Amino acid sequence: MDGGENEQRGPGDEDTPPARRERRWWPVRDRAGRPSRSGWARRTGLVLAVLLVALAGAVIGVLAGGRVNTDIGPFRASLTLAPALKGSTTVDIPPLGALQLDSHDGPTHLTVRLGALDQRRTEALIDDPASLSRASQSAVEDVRSGVMRPGLRTAGSAVLVTLVLAGLIFRDVRRTAWSTGLSLAVTAGSLGLAAGTLRPQAIEEPRYEGLLVNAPAIVGDARRIANDYSRYAEQLQRLVGNVSQLYTTVSALPVYEPAPGTTRVLHVSDMHLNPTGWQLIRTVVEQFDIDVVIDTGDITDWGSEPEASFVGSIGLLRKPYVYIRGNHDSARTAAAVARQPNAIVLNNSTTSVAGLTIAGIGDPRFTPDKETSPAGSGLTKQVAEQVIGAGEQLAATVRRSPRPVNIALVHDPASAGPLSGTCPLVLAGHTHARQVSKLPQQPGKQPTQLMVEGSTGGAGLRGLEGEKPTPLSMTVLYFDQQKLLQAYDDITVGGTGQAQVNLERHVIKEPAQGAPAPVTPTPTR
Protein backbone atom coordinates (compact mmCIF):
# COMPACT_ATOMS: atom_id res chain seq x y z
CA MET A 1 0.00 0.00 0.00
CA ASP A 2 1.19 3.64 -0.58
CA GLY A 3 1.79 6.27 2.14
CA GLY A 4 -1.54 8.06 1.57
CA GLU A 5 -3.45 4.96 2.55
CA ASN A 6 -1.32 4.43 5.67
CA GLU A 7 -2.03 8.00 6.90
CA GLN A 8 -5.80 7.52 6.75
CA ARG A 9 -5.85 4.35 8.84
CA GLY A 10 -6.77 4.39 12.51
CA PRO A 11 -5.03 2.47 15.27
CA GLY A 12 -5.14 -1.26 14.66
CA ASP A 13 -6.33 -0.98 11.07
CA GLU A 14 -3.64 -3.31 9.93
CA ASP A 15 -5.58 -6.22 11.46
CA THR A 16 -9.10 -4.97 10.78
CA PRO A 17 -11.06 -6.13 7.72
CA PRO A 18 -12.10 -3.32 5.33
CA ALA A 19 -15.82 -3.97 5.99
CA ARG A 20 -15.33 -3.26 9.70
CA ARG A 21 -13.41 -0.02 9.17
CA GLU A 22 -16.45 1.80 7.74
CA ARG A 23 -18.31 1.49 11.06
CA ARG A 24 -15.64 3.07 13.31
CA TRP A 25 -16.65 6.03 15.51
CA TRP A 26 -13.45 8.07 15.04
CA PRO A 27 -13.37 10.40 12.03
CA VAL A 28 -11.13 9.93 9.04
CA ARG A 29 -8.04 12.18 9.28
CA ASP A 30 -6.35 14.19 6.55
CA ARG A 31 -2.59 14.21 5.71
CA ALA A 32 -1.92 16.73 8.54
CA GLY A 33 -3.51 14.40 11.14
CA ARG A 34 -6.65 16.53 11.62
CA PRO A 35 -10.19 15.09 11.34
CA SER A 36 -11.54 15.60 7.84
CA ARG A 37 -14.83 17.42 7.20
CA SER A 38 -16.42 14.25 5.91
CA GLY A 39 -15.46 12.50 9.19
CA TRP A 40 -17.12 15.16 11.39
CA ALA A 41 -20.26 15.10 9.26
CA ARG A 42 -20.42 11.35 9.52
CA ARG A 43 -19.96 11.45 13.29
CA THR A 44 -22.61 14.14 13.72
CA GLY A 45 -25.01 12.14 11.59
CA LEU A 46 -24.46 9.05 13.70
CA VAL A 47 -25.11 10.97 16.93
CA LEU A 48 -28.29 12.49 15.51
CA ALA A 49 -29.43 9.07 14.29
CA VAL A 50 -28.90 7.58 17.76
CA LEU A 51 -30.86 10.43 19.34
CA LEU A 52 -33.72 10.13 16.86
CA VAL A 53 -33.96 6.37 17.31
CA ALA A 54 -33.91 6.80 21.11
CA LEU A 55 -36.68 9.42 21.01
CA ALA A 56 -38.75 7.42 18.54
CA GLY A 57 -38.41 4.31 20.69
CA ALA A 58 -39.40 6.26 23.81
CA VAL A 59 -42.50 7.75 22.15
CA ILE A 60 -43.62 4.46 20.62
CA GLY A 61 -42.95 2.66 23.91
CA VAL A 62 -45.04 5.18 25.86
CA LEU A 63 -47.91 4.89 23.42
CA ALA A 64 -47.72 1.08 23.41
CA GLY A 65 -47.27 0.37 27.11
CA GLY A 66 -48.59 3.42 28.93
CA ARG A 67 -52.09 2.16 29.73
CA VAL A 68 -53.39 0.02 32.59
CA ASN A 69 -56.75 -0.66 34.26
CA THR A 70 -56.96 -0.09 38.00
CA ASP A 71 -59.39 0.65 40.86
CA ILE A 72 -59.98 4.17 42.16
CA GLY A 73 -62.38 4.02 45.09
CA PRO A 74 -65.50 2.18 43.88
CA PHE A 75 -64.71 2.90 40.20
CA ARG A 76 -63.03 0.80 37.58
CA ALA A 77 -60.70 3.18 35.77
CA SER A 78 -58.14 3.18 32.98
CA LEU A 79 -54.95 5.24 33.34
CA THR A 80 -53.09 6.29 30.21
CA LEU A 81 -49.70 8.02 29.95
CA ALA A 82 -48.85 9.88 26.75
CA PRO A 83 -46.13 12.30 25.58
CA ALA A 84 -47.12 15.96 25.80
CA LEU A 85 -45.55 19.39 25.61
CA LYS A 86 -46.86 20.29 29.07
CA GLY A 87 -47.63 18.11 32.06
CA SER A 88 -51.33 17.85 32.97
CA THR A 89 -54.08 15.38 33.88
CA THR A 90 -57.49 14.78 32.30
CA VAL A 91 -60.19 13.08 34.37
CA ASP A 92 -62.66 11.79 31.78
CA ILE A 93 -66.20 11.06 33.05
CA PRO A 94 -68.18 9.89 30.01
CA PRO A 95 -70.64 11.08 28.86
CA LEU A 96 -70.71 14.07 31.22
CA GLY A 97 -67.40 15.60 30.18
CA ALA A 98 -63.96 15.95 31.71
CA LEU A 99 -61.89 17.79 34.30
CA GLN A 100 -58.55 19.30 33.27
CA LEU A 101 -55.99 19.52 36.10
CA ASP A 102 -52.62 21.29 36.22
CA SER A 103 -51.29 18.38 38.24
CA HIS A 104 -47.56 18.13 37.44
CA ASP A 105 -44.67 19.34 35.29
CA GLY A 106 -42.78 17.59 32.55
CA PRO A 107 -43.61 16.27 29.05
CA THR A 108 -46.14 13.69 30.27
CA HIS A 109 -49.94 13.75 30.13
CA LEU A 110 -52.06 11.46 32.31
CA THR A 111 -55.63 10.53 31.35
CA VAL A 112 -57.85 8.98 34.03
CA ARG A 113 -61.02 7.56 32.47
CA LEU A 114 -63.60 6.56 35.06
CA GLY A 115 -65.69 3.56 34.07
CA ALA A 116 -68.36 1.48 35.77
CA LEU A 117 -68.86 1.26 39.51
CA ASP A 118 -67.78 -2.00 41.11
CA GLN A 119 -70.90 -3.37 42.80
CA ARG A 120 -69.07 -5.06 45.68
CA ARG A 121 -67.13 -1.95 46.68
CA THR A 122 -70.16 0.26 46.14
CA GLU A 123 -72.20 -1.90 48.50
CA ALA A 124 -69.40 -1.65 51.06
CA LEU A 125 -69.65 2.14 50.91
CA ILE A 126 -73.41 2.00 51.30
CA ASP A 127 -73.24 -0.36 54.28
CA ASP A 128 -70.58 1.70 56.04
CA PRO A 129 -71.15 5.46 55.54
CA ALA A 130 -67.90 6.16 57.41
CA SER A 131 -66.02 4.48 54.57
CA LEU A 132 -66.97 7.42 52.32
CA SER A 133 -64.46 9.53 54.22
CA ARG A 134 -61.80 6.84 53.94
CA ALA A 135 -62.47 6.45 50.23
CA SER A 136 -62.05 10.17 49.57
CA GLN A 137 -58.81 10.23 51.55
CA SER A 138 -57.39 7.23 49.69
CA ALA A 139 -58.38 8.41 46.19
CA VAL A 140 -55.13 10.31 45.63
CA GLU A 141 -53.14 7.33 46.87
CA ASP A 142 -55.12 5.05 44.53
CA VAL A 143 -54.16 7.28 41.60
CA ARG A 144 -50.54 7.50 42.74
CA SER A 145 -50.15 3.73 43.10
CA GLY A 146 -52.10 3.19 39.88
CA VAL A 147 -49.74 5.48 37.95
CA MET A 148 -46.73 3.45 39.14
CA ARG A 149 -47.85 0.48 37.06
CA PRO A 150 -48.11 2.30 33.70
CA GLY A 151 -44.89 4.12 34.61
CA LEU A 152 -42.95 0.87 34.97
CA ARG A 153 -44.64 -0.63 31.93
CA THR A 154 -43.86 2.50 29.92
CA ALA A 155 -40.16 2.41 30.83
CA GLY A 156 -39.92 -1.29 29.99
CA SER A 157 -41.84 -0.84 26.74
CA ALA A 158 -39.61 2.10 25.70
CA VAL A 159 -36.45 0.03 26.31
CA LEU A 160 -37.80 -2.96 24.38
CA VAL A 161 -39.05 -0.91 21.40
CA THR A 162 -35.81 1.07 21.17
CA LEU A 163 -33.72 -2.10 21.42
CA VAL A 164 -35.57 -3.68 18.49
CA LEU A 165 -35.68 -0.46 16.46
CA ALA A 166 -31.97 0.34 16.92
CA GLY A 167 -30.96 -3.24 16.20
CA LEU A 168 -32.83 -3.21 12.91
CA ILE A 169 -31.46 0.20 11.84
CA PHE A 170 -27.84 0.16 13.03
CA ARG A 171 -26.99 -3.55 13.25
CA ASP A 172 -24.30 -2.48 15.69
CA VAL A 173 -24.16 -3.42 19.39
CA ARG A 174 -22.59 -0.16 20.56
CA ARG A 175 -25.02 2.15 18.79
CA THR A 176 -27.95 -0.01 19.85
CA ALA A 177 -26.80 0.19 23.47
CA TRP A 178 -26.42 3.99 23.28
CA SER A 179 -29.92 4.37 21.78
CA THR A 180 -31.49 2.10 24.37
CA GLY A 181 -29.76 3.86 27.25
CA LEU A 182 -30.80 7.30 26.01
CA SER A 183 -34.42 6.11 25.56
CA LEU A 184 -34.50 4.81 29.13
CA ALA A 185 -33.00 8.06 30.42
CA VAL A 186 -35.57 10.19 28.58
CA THR A 187 -38.51 8.06 29.70
CA ALA A 188 -37.40 7.69 33.31
CA GLY A 189 -36.49 11.37 33.52
CA SER A 190 -39.89 12.49 32.24
CA LEU A 191 -41.77 10.18 34.62
CA GLY A 192 -39.51 11.14 37.51
CA LEU A 193 -40.10 14.85 36.87
CA ALA A 194 -43.87 14.27 36.81
CA ALA A 195 -43.75 12.28 40.06
CA GLY A 196 -41.51 14.80 41.77
CA THR A 197 -43.73 17.76 40.88
CA LEU A 198 -47.11 16.10 41.54
CA ARG A 199 -49.63 18.60 42.94
CA PRO A 200 -52.61 16.74 44.54
CA GLN A 201 -54.20 20.07 45.45
CA ALA A 202 -54.82 20.69 41.73
CA ILE A 203 -58.12 18.80 42.12
CA GLU A 204 -59.44 21.83 43.98
CA GLU A 205 -59.05 24.05 40.89
CA PRO A 206 -60.21 22.00 37.90
CA ARG A 207 -61.20 23.27 34.48
CA TYR A 208 -64.51 21.78 33.39
CA GLU A 209 -65.39 20.54 29.90
CA GLY A 210 -68.61 19.13 28.41
CA LEU A 211 -71.76 19.01 30.51
CA LEU A 212 -69.62 19.35 33.62
CA VAL A 213 -69.19 23.03 32.74
CA ASN A 214 -72.50 23.48 34.59
CA ALA A 215 -71.27 21.62 37.67
CA PRO A 216 -70.03 24.65 39.67
CA ALA A 217 -73.33 26.44 39.11
CA ILE A 218 -75.32 23.34 40.05
CA VAL A 219 -73.54 22.22 43.21
CA GLY A 220 -71.71 25.39 44.26
CA ASP A 221 -68.14 25.62 45.47
CA ALA A 222 -66.53 22.16 45.49
CA ARG A 223 -64.90 22.64 48.87
CA ARG A 224 -68.13 23.83 50.47
CA ILE A 225 -70.24 21.02 49.00
CA ALA A 226 -67.66 18.45 50.13
CA ASN A 227 -67.76 19.80 53.66
CA ASP A 228 -71.56 19.88 53.66
CA TYR A 229 -71.76 16.33 52.37
CA SER A 230 -69.33 15.14 55.03
CA ARG A 231 -71.53 16.61 57.76
CA TYR A 232 -74.66 15.35 56.02
CA ALA A 233 -73.23 11.82 55.75
CA GLU A 234 -72.39 11.79 59.46
CA GLN A 235 -75.90 12.93 60.26
CA LEU A 236 -77.46 10.31 57.99
CA GLN A 237 -75.39 7.60 59.64
CA ARG A 238 -77.09 8.43 62.93
CA LEU A 239 -80.48 8.77 61.23
CA VAL A 240 -80.31 5.38 59.55
CA GLY A 241 -79.51 3.84 62.91
CA ASN A 242 -82.59 5.48 64.38
CA VAL A 243 -84.82 3.86 61.75
CA SER A 244 -84.58 0.66 63.78
CA GLN A 245 -86.86 2.36 66.29
CA LEU A 246 -89.63 2.78 63.73
CA TYR A 247 -90.98 -0.73 64.05
CA THR A 248 -91.48 -0.26 67.78
CA THR A 249 -93.17 3.06 67.12
CA VAL A 250 -95.57 1.53 64.63
CA SER A 251 -96.47 -1.29 67.01
CA ALA A 252 -97.49 1.26 69.62
CA LEU A 253 -99.89 3.07 67.30
CA PRO A 254 -103.43 2.01 68.26
CA VAL A 255 -105.20 3.70 65.35
CA TYR A 256 -104.70 1.01 62.76
CA GLU A 257 -103.64 -2.59 63.23
CA PRO A 258 -102.78 -4.35 59.95
CA ALA A 259 -104.93 -7.48 59.67
CA PRO A 260 -103.66 -10.85 58.48
CA GLY A 261 -103.39 -10.87 54.71
CA THR A 262 -102.47 -7.18 54.55
CA THR A 263 -100.19 -6.30 51.62
CA ARG A 264 -97.47 -3.79 52.46
CA VAL A 265 -96.10 -1.61 49.65
CA LEU A 266 -93.15 0.77 50.01
CA HIS A 267 -93.35 3.80 47.69
CA VAL A 268 -90.01 5.49 46.91
CA SER A 269 -89.14 8.09 44.30
CA ASP A 270 -86.45 10.50 43.12
CA MET A 271 -83.40 8.77 44.60
CA HIS A 272 -81.11 10.95 42.48
CA LEU A 273 -78.05 8.75 42.98
CA ASN A 274 -77.91 9.06 46.79
CA PRO A 275 -76.41 5.76 48.11
CA THR A 276 -77.68 6.47 51.62
CA GLY A 277 -81.23 5.99 50.36
CA TRP A 278 -80.54 2.30 49.72
CA GLN A 279 -79.58 1.65 53.34
CA LEU A 280 -82.77 3.36 54.47
CA ILE A 281 -84.89 1.38 52.00
CA ARG A 282 -83.38 -1.94 53.09
CA THR A 283 -84.03 -1.15 56.75
CA VAL A 284 -87.69 -0.26 56.11
CA VAL A 285 -88.20 -3.30 53.86
CA GLU A 286 -86.94 -5.62 56.59
CA GLN A 287 -88.60 -4.06 59.61
CA PHE A 288 -91.97 -3.29 58.01
CA ASP A 289 -92.12 -6.68 56.28
CA ILE A 290 -92.63 -5.02 52.88
CA ASP A 291 -94.12 -7.18 50.10
CA VAL A 292 -93.29 -5.00 47.09
CA VAL A 293 -91.33 -1.79 46.44
CA ILE A 294 -92.63 0.76 43.92
CA ASP A 295 -90.25 3.36 42.45
CA THR A 296 -91.77 6.23 40.46
CA GLY A 297 -88.54 7.29 38.77
CA ASP A 298 -85.47 9.55 38.78
CA ILE A 299 -83.28 6.87 40.32
CA THR A 300 -80.26 8.56 38.67
CA ASP A 301 -79.23 12.12 37.81
CA TRP A 302 -77.90 12.00 34.25
CA GLY A 303 -78.87 8.54 33.01
CA SER A 304 -75.23 7.83 32.09
CA GLU A 305 -73.48 4.47 31.82
CA PRO A 306 -71.45 4.79 35.08
CA GLU A 307 -74.65 5.64 36.96
CA ALA A 308 -76.28 2.42 35.73
CA SER A 309 -74.25 0.48 38.31
CA PHE A 310 -76.09 2.38 41.06
CA VAL A 311 -79.21 0.26 40.48
CA GLY A 312 -77.35 -2.92 41.48
CA SER A 313 -78.65 -2.49 45.03
CA ILE A 314 -82.15 -3.37 43.83
CA GLY A 315 -81.23 -7.06 43.78
CA LEU A 316 -80.17 -6.96 47.44
CA LEU A 317 -83.71 -6.09 48.54
CA ARG A 318 -84.95 -9.57 47.55
CA LYS A 319 -88.46 -8.16 47.08
CA PRO A 320 -90.34 -7.38 43.86
CA TYR A 321 -89.26 -3.92 42.66
CA VAL A 322 -91.68 -2.19 40.25
CA TYR A 323 -90.09 0.78 38.45
CA ILE A 324 -91.00 3.45 35.91
CA ARG A 325 -88.52 5.81 34.28
CA GLY A 326 -88.29 9.46 35.40
CA ASN A 327 -87.14 12.43 33.34
CA HIS A 328 -83.58 12.01 34.71
CA ASP A 329 -83.48 8.32 33.75
CA SER A 330 -82.38 7.23 30.29
CA ALA A 331 -83.36 4.12 28.36
CA ARG A 332 -79.97 2.74 29.46
CA THR A 333 -80.99 3.27 33.09
CA ALA A 334 -84.27 1.42 32.56
CA ALA A 335 -82.40 -1.44 30.89
CA ALA A 336 -80.00 -1.67 33.86
CA VAL A 337 -82.97 -1.86 36.25
CA ALA A 338 -84.60 -4.54 34.10
CA ARG A 339 -81.48 -6.70 34.43
CA GLN A 340 -81.98 -6.97 38.20
CA PRO A 341 -83.52 -10.37 39.06
CA ASN A 342 -86.36 -8.92 41.16
CA ALA A 343 -87.13 -5.83 39.06
CA ILE A 344 -90.15 -5.14 36.85
CA VAL A 345 -89.95 -2.15 34.49
CA LEU A 346 -93.29 -0.79 33.31
CA ASN A 347 -93.64 1.36 30.20
CA ASN A 348 -97.31 1.72 29.34
CA SER A 349 -97.84 -1.83 30.60
CA THR A 350 -99.28 -3.73 33.56
CA THR A 351 -98.06 -6.40 35.95
CA SER A 352 -99.46 -8.46 38.82
CA VAL A 353 -97.32 -8.77 41.91
CA ALA A 354 -98.15 -9.57 45.55
CA GLY A 355 -101.81 -9.84 44.52
CA LEU A 356 -101.84 -6.26 43.19
CA THR A 357 -102.40 -5.29 39.55
CA ILE A 358 -100.12 -2.34 38.79
CA ALA A 359 -99.97 -0.23 35.62
CA GLY A 360 -97.24 2.29 34.84
CA ILE A 361 -95.64 4.46 32.18
CA GLY A 362 -92.26 6.22 32.05
CA ASP A 363 -91.87 9.96 31.76
CA PRO A 364 -91.89 10.93 28.06
CA ARG A 365 -89.07 13.44 28.61
CA PHE A 366 -85.36 12.89 29.15
CA THR A 367 -84.08 16.14 30.63
CA PRO A 368 -81.04 15.47 32.84
CA ASP A 369 -79.64 18.92 32.02
CA LYS A 370 -82.57 21.29 32.14
CA GLU A 371 -80.54 24.17 30.73
CA THR A 372 -79.52 22.49 27.46
CA SER A 373 -82.12 19.76 26.91
CA PRO A 374 -84.57 20.25 24.02
CA ALA A 375 -87.61 20.21 26.29
CA GLY A 376 -85.92 22.28 28.98
CA SER A 377 -87.77 23.16 32.14
CA GLY A 378 -90.26 25.59 30.63
CA LEU A 379 -93.92 24.65 30.55
CA THR A 380 -94.27 24.86 26.81
CA LYS A 381 -97.24 23.53 24.87
CA GLN A 382 -95.09 20.68 23.56
CA VAL A 383 -94.04 19.64 27.07
CA ALA A 384 -97.62 19.80 28.35
CA GLU A 385 -98.84 17.64 25.48
CA GLN A 386 -96.06 15.10 26.13
CA VAL A 387 -96.69 14.79 29.85
CA ILE A 388 -100.49 14.78 29.74
CA GLY A 389 -100.37 12.51 26.69
CA ALA A 390 -98.46 9.93 28.73
CA GLY A 391 -101.32 9.87 31.22
CA GLU A 392 -103.83 9.42 28.42
CA GLN A 393 -101.85 6.48 27.02
CA LEU A 394 -101.72 4.81 30.42
CA ALA A 395 -105.43 5.42 30.99
CA ALA A 396 -106.19 3.58 27.76
CA THR A 397 -103.95 0.70 28.88
CA VAL A 398 -105.71 0.54 32.25
CA ARG A 399 -109.12 0.37 30.59
CA ARG A 400 -107.95 -2.49 28.37
CA SER A 401 -106.52 -4.48 31.28
CA PRO A 402 -108.28 -7.84 31.77
CA ARG A 403 -107.93 -7.35 35.53
CA PRO A 404 -109.00 -4.26 37.46
CA VAL A 405 -105.91 -2.11 38.08
CA ASN A 406 -105.27 -1.33 41.75
CA ILE A 407 -102.41 1.17 41.34
CA ALA A 408 -101.28 3.35 38.41
CA LEU A 409 -97.75 4.82 38.30
CA VAL A 410 -96.64 8.06 36.63
CA HIS A 411 -93.58 10.19 37.30
CA ASP A 412 -94.96 13.72 36.92
CA PRO A 413 -98.25 14.30 38.82
CA ALA A 414 -99.48 16.22 35.77
CA SER A 415 -99.81 12.90 33.96
CA ALA A 416 -102.33 11.69 36.55
CA GLY A 417 -105.35 13.73 35.39
CA PRO A 418 -106.50 11.40 32.58
CA LEU A 419 -106.37 8.45 35.03
CA SER A 420 -109.26 9.75 37.11
CA GLY A 421 -111.93 7.09 37.44
CA THR A 422 -109.80 4.31 35.92
CA CYS A 423 -108.32 3.05 39.21
CA PRO A 424 -108.51 3.88 42.91
CA LEU A 425 -104.90 5.05 43.42
CA VAL A 426 -102.22 6.86 41.39
CA LEU A 427 -98.64 7.17 42.67
CA ALA A 428 -96.20 9.84 41.40
CA GLY A 429 -93.01 11.69 42.31
CA HIS A 430 -90.95 14.36 40.51
CA THR A 431 -91.78 17.39 42.70
CA HIS A 432 -89.62 16.39 45.72
CA ALA A 433 -92.56 17.35 47.92
CA ARG A 434 -95.09 14.97 49.47
CA GLN A 435 -98.73 15.62 48.60
CA VAL A 436 -102.01 13.70 48.83
CA SER A 437 -105.07 14.83 46.86
CA LYS A 438 -108.14 13.64 44.99
CA LEU A 439 -108.34 13.78 41.24
CA PRO A 440 -111.46 15.51 39.89
CA GLN A 441 -114.08 12.75 39.94
CA GLN A 442 -115.64 11.63 36.70
CA PRO A 443 -119.47 11.15 36.72
CA GLY A 444 -120.34 7.55 37.40
CA LYS A 445 -116.69 6.58 37.95
CA GLN A 446 -114.83 5.50 41.08
CA PRO A 447 -112.91 8.17 43.01
CA THR A 448 -109.16 8.24 42.40
CA GLN A 449 -106.61 9.34 44.96
CA LEU A 450 -103.25 10.82 43.94
CA MET A 451 -100.25 10.36 46.25
CA VAL A 452 -97.08 12.26 45.34
CA GLU A 453 -93.90 11.13 47.12
CA GLY A 454 -91.05 13.40 48.19
CA SER A 455 -87.43 12.53 47.43
CA THR A 456 -86.16 9.27 48.92
CA GLY A 457 -82.63 10.43 48.07
CA GLY A 458 -82.96 13.86 49.64
CA ALA A 459 -82.89 15.33 46.08
CA GLY A 460 -79.29 14.11 45.66
CA LEU A 461 -76.70 16.88 45.48
CA ARG A 462 -79.48 19.41 44.91
CA GLY A 463 -80.57 18.78 48.48
CA LEU A 464 -77.30 20.26 49.72
CA GLU A 465 -77.54 23.54 47.84
CA GLY A 466 -79.44 25.23 50.65
CA GLU A 467 -78.46 25.75 54.25
CA LYS A 468 -80.52 22.74 55.36
CA PRO A 469 -80.46 19.34 53.63
CA THR A 470 -83.62 18.09 51.97
CA PRO A 471 -85.12 15.27 54.08
CA LEU A 472 -85.39 11.72 52.80
CA SER A 473 -88.99 10.52 52.51
CA MET A 474 -90.89 7.36 51.65
CA THR A 475 -94.32 5.91 52.35
CA VAL A 476 -95.56 2.49 53.50
CA LEU A 477 -98.99 1.67 52.05
CA TYR A 478 -101.29 -0.95 53.61
CA PHE A 479 -103.78 -2.79 51.35
CA ASP A 480 -106.47 -5.15 52.65
CA GLN A 481 -107.40 -8.50 51.13
CA GLN A 482 -109.59 -6.73 48.57
CA LYS A 483 -106.48 -4.70 47.60
CA LEU A 484 -107.97 -1.42 48.75
CA LEU A 485 -105.78 1.12 50.54
CA GLN A 486 -106.60 1.17 54.26
CA ALA A 487 -103.77 3.23 55.76
CA TYR A 488 -100.31 4.63 55.02
CA ASP A 489 -97.27 5.68 57.03
CA ASP A 490 -95.28 8.74 55.94
CA ILE A 491 -91.62 8.26 56.93
CA THR A 492 -89.32 11.27 56.95
CA VAL A 493 -85.63 11.06 57.82
CA GLY A 494 -83.69 14.22 58.63
CA GLY A 495 -84.81 17.76 58.05
CA THR A 496 -84.29 20.98 60.04
CA GLY A 497 -80.67 19.98 60.63
CA GLN A 498 -81.55 17.54 63.41
CA ALA A 499 -80.95 13.81 63.71
CA GLN A 500 -84.53 12.63 63.78
CA VAL A 501 -86.92 10.16 62.23
CA ASN A 502 -90.58 11.09 61.91
CA LEU A 503 -93.44 8.69 61.22
CA GLU A 504 -96.99 9.87 60.69
CA ARG A 505 -99.82 7.36 60.24
CA HIS A 506 -102.90 8.13 58.19
CA VAL A 507 -106.05 5.97 58.15
CA ILE A 508 -108.22 6.08 55.02
CA LYS A 509 -111.75 7.21 55.78
CA GLU A 510 -114.64 7.83 53.44
CA PRO A 511 -113.46 9.48 50.22
CA ALA A 512 -113.49 13.24 50.58
CA GLN A 513 -112.65 15.93 48.08
CA GLY A 514 -109.11 17.06 48.74
CA ALA A 515 -106.90 19.72 47.22
CA PRO A 516 -107.06 19.77 43.44
CA ALA A 517 -104.36 17.73 41.73
CA PRO A 518 -101.93 19.55 39.41
CA VAL A 519 -103.04 19.63 35.79
CA THR A 520 -99.92 21.17 34.22
CA PRO A 521 -96.42 19.68 34.10
CA THR A 522 -94.07 20.56 36.91
CA PRO A 523 -90.68 22.11 36.03
CA THR A 524 -88.03 19.41 35.66
CA ARG A 525 -86.06 18.65 38.80
Side-chain angles (χ1 to χ4, degrees):
M1 298 183 183
D2 59 23
E5 291 177 341
N6 290 336
E7 288 179 358
Q8 292 184 5
R9 290 181 180 180
D13 278 354
E14 293 82 355
D15 301 325
T16 305
R20 292 286 303 276
R21 295 176 198 161
E22 295 179 1
R23 294 197 294 269
R24 292 201 179 278
W25 283 81
W26 52 80
V28 177
R29 297 179 179 275
D30 59 18
R31 294 179 181 274
R34 295 170 301 187
S36 65
R37 291 183 179 179
S38 61
W40 277 114
R42 183 170 176 271
R43 185 177 185 180
T44 301
L46 287 173
V47 172
L48 290 176
V50 168
L51 288 174
L52 288 175
V53 169
L55 291 175
V59 171
I60 297 173
V62 169
L63 296 176
R67 176 170 181 168
V68 297
N69 294 322
T70 187
D71 296 330
I72 299 178
F75 287 95
R76 291 294 298 167
S78 64
L79 277 64
T80 305
L81 290 172
L85 296 177
K86 180 181 178 182
S88 60
T89 297
T90 298
V91 182
D92 192 9
I93 312 174
L96 305 183
L99 304 179
Q100 301 292 342
L101 309 177
D102 184 17
S103 57
H104 60 273
D105 298 325
T108 307
H109 180 78
L110 171 65
T111 300
V112 181
R113 183 181 177 89
L114 298 181
L117 287 166
D118 181 88
Q119 183 171 339
R120 179 179 57 82
R121 292 194 301 276
T122 303
E123 293 301 333
L125 289 178
I126 295 172
D127 292 333
D128 182 12
S131 63
L132 288 172
S133 301
R134 294 194 296 271
S136 62
Q137 294 169 4
S138 64
V140 173
E141 186 59 35
D142 288 343
V143 174
R144 194 193 305 271
S145 60
V147 170
M148 288 295 295
R149 292 169 54 200
L152 295 175
R153 287 186 54 179
T154 297
S157 178
V159 168
L160 180 60
V161 170
T162 307
L163 185 63
V164 174
L165 191 62
L168 293 174
I169 294 176
F170 296 125
R171 299 181 183 277
D172 182 89
V173 174
R174 182 180 296 181
R175 296 170 194 172
T176 299
W178 272 102
S179 299
T180 304
L182 286 173
S183 176
L184 178 60
V186 170
T187 305
S190 300
L191 296 176
L193 179 60
T197 58
L198 183 64
R199 294 182 290 272
Q201 66 274 16
I203 192 67
E204 297 178 1
E205 298 178 353
R207 187 174 76 253
Y208 298 90
E209 294 181 354
L211 292 177
L212 290 178
V213 169
N214 296 321
I218 295 173
V219 302
D221 179 75
R223 205 173 298 175
R224 181 186 64 80
I225 204 71
N227 292 336
D228 287 349
Y229 188 81
S230 177
R231 291 195 297 268
Y232 190 41
E234 292 174 0
Q235 180 191 35
L236 287 176
Q237 187 175 5
R238 297 193 302 270
L239 295 177
V240 170
N242 289 342
V243 175
S244 62
Q245 302 174 7
L246 284 174
Y247 190 76
T248 304
T249 303
V250 174
S251 301
L253 293 175
V255 181
Y256 170 72
E257 184 67 26
T262 295
T263 302
R264 295 169 173 83
V265 175
L266 177 61
H267 180 202
V268 301
S269 190
D270 296 83
M271 288 275 287
H272 285 294
L273 218 65
N274 187 346
T276 308
W278 286 124
Q279 177 65 33
L280 184 61
I281 290 173
R282 287 206 299 269
T283 302
V284 173
V285 165
E286 293 172 2
Q287 298 197 358
F288 282 72
D289 194 20
I290 297 298
D291 297 297
V292 57
V293 180
I294 290 178
D295 185 341
T296 47
D298 277 0
I299 197 171
T300 61
D301 253 343
W302 298 87
S304 63
E305 182 178 356
E307 290 177 293
S309 299
F310 177 74
V311 308
S313 295
I314 292 174
L316 300 178
L317 298 177
R318 304 184 187 282
K319 298 289 184 180
Y321 193 96
V322 182
Y323 162 87
I324 61 168
R325 188 178 60 80
N327 62 290
H328 282 262
D329 302 329
S330 64
R332 180 178 295 170
T333 304
V337 174
R339 287 194 293 269
Q340 302 304 308
N342 57 323
I344 302 169
V345 177
L346 297 179
N347 191 17
N348 198 25
S349 55
T350 62
T351 186
S352 293
V353 58
L356 293 166
T357 300
I358 305 172
I361 190 169
D363 196 290
R365 303 161 293 180
F366 178 50
T367 56
D369 179 6
K370 63 184 179 182
E371 298 298 330
T372 60
S373 61
S377 59
L379 302 182
T380 64
K381 180 181 178 181
Q382 179 184 4
V383 172
E385 290 176 349
Q386 284 182 324
V387 176
I388 297 175
E392 293 172 345
Q393 293 180 49
L394 184 60
T397 299
V398 171
R399 294 188 185 97
R400 290 194 303 267
S401 174
R403 297 182 180 180
V405 171
N406 306 115
I407 308 172
L409 311 180
V410 294
H411 179 64
D412 193 325
S415 299
L419 291 162
S420 178
T422 64
C423 60
L425 178 63
V426 178
L427 301 182
H430 185 64
T431 64
H432 299 176
R434 183 182 280 139
Q435 180 185 4
V436 178
S437 60
K438 294 289 182 180
L439 294 175
Q441 189 168 354
Q442 300 296 319
K445 302 291 185 179
Q446 61 178 321
T448 300
Q449 184 164 304
L450 172 64
M451 300 183 70
V452 181
E453 189 56 76
S455 175
T456 308
L461 284 177
R462 298 167 185 77
L464 302 178
E465 291 178 358
E467 296 181 358
K468 299 177 181 178
T470 301
L472 282 69
S473 64
M474 59 185 65
T475 302
V476 178
L477 308 171
Y478 299 91
F479 294 85
D480 61 16
Q481 293 185 356
Q482 286 71 44
K483 307 310 174 187
L484 297 176
L485 182 64
Q486 299 297 308
Y488 60 93
D489 294 331
D490 286 333
I491 300 173
T492 305
V493 179
T496 67
Q498 299 178 357
Q500 62 183 20
V501 177
N502 292 330
L503 183 144
E504 184 176 0
R505 170 157 293 174
H506 305 268
V507 177
I508 302 297
K509 299 179 181 178
E510 290 298 323
Q513 187 67 31
V519 293
T520 57
T522 309
T524 58
R525 292 176 179 268

